[in-house]
Amino acid sequence: MATLARTVALVSGGASGLGAATARHLIQQGARVMVADLNMTSERVQPLRDWAVSQNIRLLDESDTLSSCYAQGPCLAFCPTNVTKSDEVNHALDQLERVFGEPLNVAVSCAGIAIAQKTLSKKGPHDLDDFIETMMVNTVGSFNVSRLAAARMQEREPDRDGLRGCIVNTASIAAFEGQIGQVAYSASKGGIVGMTLPMARELSRYGIRVMTIVSPRNEMKSATIHSLTIYHERLLVCSKHHSCQGCRRVLGKNWVTLFLALVDSVILMSLGLS
Ligand SMILES: NC(=O)c1ccc[n+]([C@@H]2O[C@H](COP(=O)([O-])OP(=O)(O)OC[C@H]3O[C@@H](n4cnc5c(N)ncnc54)[C@H](O)[C@@H]3O)[C@@H](O)[C@H]2O)c1
């Protein structure tokens, strides 16, 4: 059986970049994945669709049903979604359950935006709407997906270890070391880091693991792990000073590889497969 054959995942921001890489990576290991992204023009999702076709991966549309999908293992579905809207995220989760036949057990939030603007510049003060939008998409959007995904995950039967699923959010080194022009982005990523521990504590009683992945300090080069936090009933803090086996395994890889390896680690731990 493929490693993640029991994984049913929602990947927000999955139409491009890190999200698309995550969707491909999970599917390659046997998962069923729903990509939820704001921008789902055919041009934008074509590379992912082409990849799925080239790999003989089943592409699902709204008319597909449980029996037609589940029997065929790994598959890919799309649902246009604005992560800041409750009804749109709930609709994506409804669609996921309909085409995959069960609630999700993995939610990976990769939807995000980045702007470059200073608190004060020659043009004047930072535009407030730009700041609010960045907070809305990155912080509120991640929270929105997390809370609604958790509500669906709790409907699942727990596995033998009492686990029901995991939530993976994406922050950035900017949460800790924001550069000039990153005030909005850093604040939004700091918000994600801040919500991780209380959310993990709150959701552990439902058997739902929560983690946030922080990009390494020197992306694409040394990939030293600055801060990897995985929380469940107990707190594991792995840093360059306290590296765990999982960290050591991925040291030296680039950021995307590192990100995918960490997603794997948390899913394998959370679904009791390792
Ligand atoms: N690429 C990096 O090196 C890096 C480093 C650190 C953190 N990150 C974070 O990783 C995440 C993904 O980054 P990326 O480089 O893949 O970016 P990307 O721009 O390629 O992908 C982001 C996706 O989010 C989608 N999106 C934007 N607003 C949305 C909304 N309201 N609802 C739903 N989807 C929305 C976009 O359409 C896009 O497909 C971001 O949160 C980013 O901050 C990236």
Side-chain angles (χ1 to χ4, degrees):
M1 187 167 77
T3 331
L4 302 183
R6 280 181 275 160
T7 296
V8 181
L10 182 87
V11 180
S12 82
S16 80
L18 215 47
T22 302
R24 283 196 301 270
H25 185 69
L26 298 182
I27 290 169
Q28 275 167 334
Q29 295 177 81
R32 288 163 282 159
V33 175
M34 166 78 71
V35 162
D37 198 294
L38 184 64
N39 188 344
M40 297 279 247
T41 57
S42 53
E43 191 180 67
R44 207 128 187 290
V45 295
Q46 201 57 45
L48 199 50
R49 296 183 77 92
D50 289 346
W51 171 82
V53 169
S54 75
Q55 302 292 308
N56 288 325
I57 301 295
R58 177 91 192 267
L59 279 167
L60 296 165
D61 61 39
E62 297 202 355
S63 61
D64 283 290
T65 62
L66 163 66
S67 54
S68 60
C69 167
Y70 189 72
Q72 301 205 22
C75 44
L76 172 64
F78 296 91
C79 188
T81 310
N82 183 340
V83 293
T84 69
K85 309 279 186 202
S86 295
D87 56 343
E88 294 193 20
V89 174
N90 261 326
H91 175 68
L93 293 168
D94 287 342
Q95 290 294 96
L96 177 148
E97 286 177 28
R98 207 175 54 73
V99 296
F100 298 153
E102 57 184 305
L104 79 172
N105 52 11
V106 172
V108 184
S109 277
C110 291
I113 56 172
I115 61 164
Q117 209 176 123
K118 296 179 196 167
T119 308
L120 181 62
S121 71
K122 287 176 187 160
K123 292 180 190 163
H126 197 294
D127 185 274
L128 189 58
D129 288 340
D130 289 345
F131 187 92
I132 292 169
E133 192 192 356
T134 307
M135 297 297 290
M136 281 302 291
V137 176
N138 295 356
T139 319
V140 177
S142 299
F143 180 68
N144 195 29
V145 171
S146 299
R147 77 187 179 99
L148 296 174
R152 304 299 178 110
M153 285 178 192
Q154 69 151 345
E155 295 166 8
R156 294 181 64 94
E157 282 298 312
D159 68 12
R160 63 177 186 274
D161 297 319
L163 299 171
R164 289 186 168 88
C166 64
I167 292 170
V168 181
N169 286 320
T170 309
S172 163
I173 187 61
F176 306 102
E177 297 183 21
Q179 304 298 319
I180 287 173
Q182 285 193 313
V183 64
Y185 185 71
S186 293
S188 70
K189 295 298 184 182
I192 295 172
V193 170
M195 73 173 77
T196 304
L197 181 55
M199 189 188 292
R201 286 180 167 148
E202 290 162 11
L203 296 182
S204 67
R205 66 190 295 252
Y206 302 101
I208 300 170
R209 191 185 297 269
V210 180
M211 75 173 286
T212 290
I213 296 178
V214 178
S215 52
R217 186 177 273 130
N218 194 359
E219 286 165 14
M220 312 302 287
K221 289 185 182 166
S222 67
T224 300
I225 293 180
H226 172 74
S227 172
L228 157 65
T229 52
I230 301 174
Y231 301 111
H232 188 43
E233 286 135 336
R234 63 203 170 99
L235 169 67
L236 298 176
V237 178
C238 310
S239 71
K240 57 186 173 182
H241 305 299
H242 304 90
S243 63
C244 68
Q245 208 174 12
C247 293
R248 278 200 294 276
R249 211 177 56 228
V250 297
L251 278 173
K253 306 277 177 67
N254 70 35
W255 165 224
V256 175
T257 310
L258 176 63
F259 183 90
L260 297 176
L262 296 178
V263 169
D264 275 355
S265 301
V266 78
I267 291 176
L268 291 173
M269 274 190 286
S270 305
L271 301 183
L273 298 175
S274 66

